[in-house]
Amino acid sequence: MRISIIILILFSSNLFGQNKVHPYNRTQTEFDKLTEKAKKTDSIIIASDKMEYREKYITTGISEGSIELTDSLKVEIASGGFSTYTYTNDRTNKIIKAEHNQTVHYKYDVKDSLNANTERLEISIYYENEKAYYAEFNENHYDNENVISTNRFYLQLNAKRDEIYYSNGFQEKIVKYIIKLSEEIKSEK
């Protein structure tokens, strides 16, 4: 009888203990920590923006440019622009966040951007000690009347990228693009 009770206790504690260490639960906990950390960074930026100029401790930088895509015959097939906002902590002189927005109007058979299919990317990259650790990626495709598609990804940007298996090739491309973009933003500082 005692052995049955001991086995039952071990079995039930092992069964309930698995919920705490199940990979999904760890993933959700880690994701929650990342989003909370990102929210804190956003609140610091908002609080600084509300201060008078002499008291602000977050500096906002901006870079803008145009985008033009051509086909192999050098015929323009798309045009648009981008803007990148960087938020730097004045006390540490380190970037804490970057927001990159990019809009491209694909013209194909139309002559103006009002009737074109549009792709809009919105990327927020969060840094700790100027090392990107988290990103939010939004991609929207639409024309002048309809939303065509929307993709949203939340990405942890850790150093072990080469060891990760991606079930979706698009996700892997996004991560590589964001890491490259992050390095370009830091180099322009």
Side-chain angles (χ1 to χ4, degrees):
M1 179 80 171
R2 286 184 167 174
I3 294 176
S4 302
I5 293 173
I6 292 172
I7 291 173
L8 182 60
I9 291 171
L10 289 174
F11 177 73
S12 64
S13 65
N14 189 26
L15 180 64
F16 292 115
Q18 286 180 356
N19 287 335
K20 293 180 183 175
V21 296
H22 189 274
Y24 172 76
N25 292 335
R26 283 195 321 253
T27 302
Q28 191 61 42
T29 300
E30 184 66 25
F31 175 72
D32 291 343
K33 287 179 187 176
L34 289 171
T35 55
E36 282 304 311
K37 197 173 181 181
K39 286 178 187 176
K40 286 180 184 177
T41 299
D42 289 337
S43 66
I44 289 169
I45 292 167
I46 291 168
S48 177
D49 282 346
K50 290 180 179 178
M51 295 179 154
E52 291 184 28
Y53 182 74
R54 68 182 184 285
E55 296 174 348
K56 290 184 180 196
Y57 54 92
I58 304 295
T59 301
T60 304
I62 184 169
S63 63
E64 299 177 311
S66 61
I67 299 170
E68 185 176 305
L69 302 175
T70 58
D71 62 13
S72 59
L73 299 173
K74 304 293 183 204
V75 174
E76 182 184 331
I77 58 170
S79 64
F82 72 91
S83 62
T84 303
Y85 295 87
T86 56
Y87 302 93
T88 304
N89 184 328
D90 290 343
R91 296 173 186 148
T92 62
N93 198 30
K94 293 185 178 181
I95 296 173
I96 60 171
K97 181 181 178 181
E99 292 177 352
H100 178 79
N101 301 306
Q102 173 179 312
T103 303
V104 178
H105 306 285
Y106 292 92
K107 298 178 182 171
Y108 303 114
D109 295 330
V110 297
K111 299 291 183 214
D112 61 359
S113 53
L114 290 176
N115 295 310
N117 286 342
T118 300
E119 174 187 72
R120 169 104 175 133
L121 302 180
E122 299 168 347
I123 304 168
S124 295
I125 306 170
Y126 293 87
Y127 297 86
E128 185 170 59
N129 295 321
E130 286 203 347
K131 183 177 188 316
Y133 70 88
Y134 174 70
E136 295 176 359
F137 176 89
N138 296 310
E139 176 187 46
N140 299 295
H141 293 266
Y142 52 91
D143 61 18
N144 63 340
E145 294 179 7
N146 303 302
V147 173
I148 298 167
S149 67
T150 297
N151 288 307
R152 178 171 285 185
F153 292 94
Y154 302 94
L155 306 158
Q156 181 177 11
L157 304 172
N158 60 22
K160 299 179 182 178
R161 291 262 83 58
D162 294 335
E163 300 170 10
I164 294 175
Y165 168 75
Y166 292 95
S167 60
N168 179 338
F170 181 65
Q171 284 179 316
E172 183 175 12
K173 288 177 184 178
I174 292 170
V175 169
K176 288 180 179 180
Y177 175 73
I178 291 173
I179 290 172
K180 181 181 175 216
L181 177 63
S182 171
E183 293 303 315
E184 289 172 2
I185 290 169
K186 287 191 315 186
S187 70
E188 292 176 8
K189 178 182 156 191

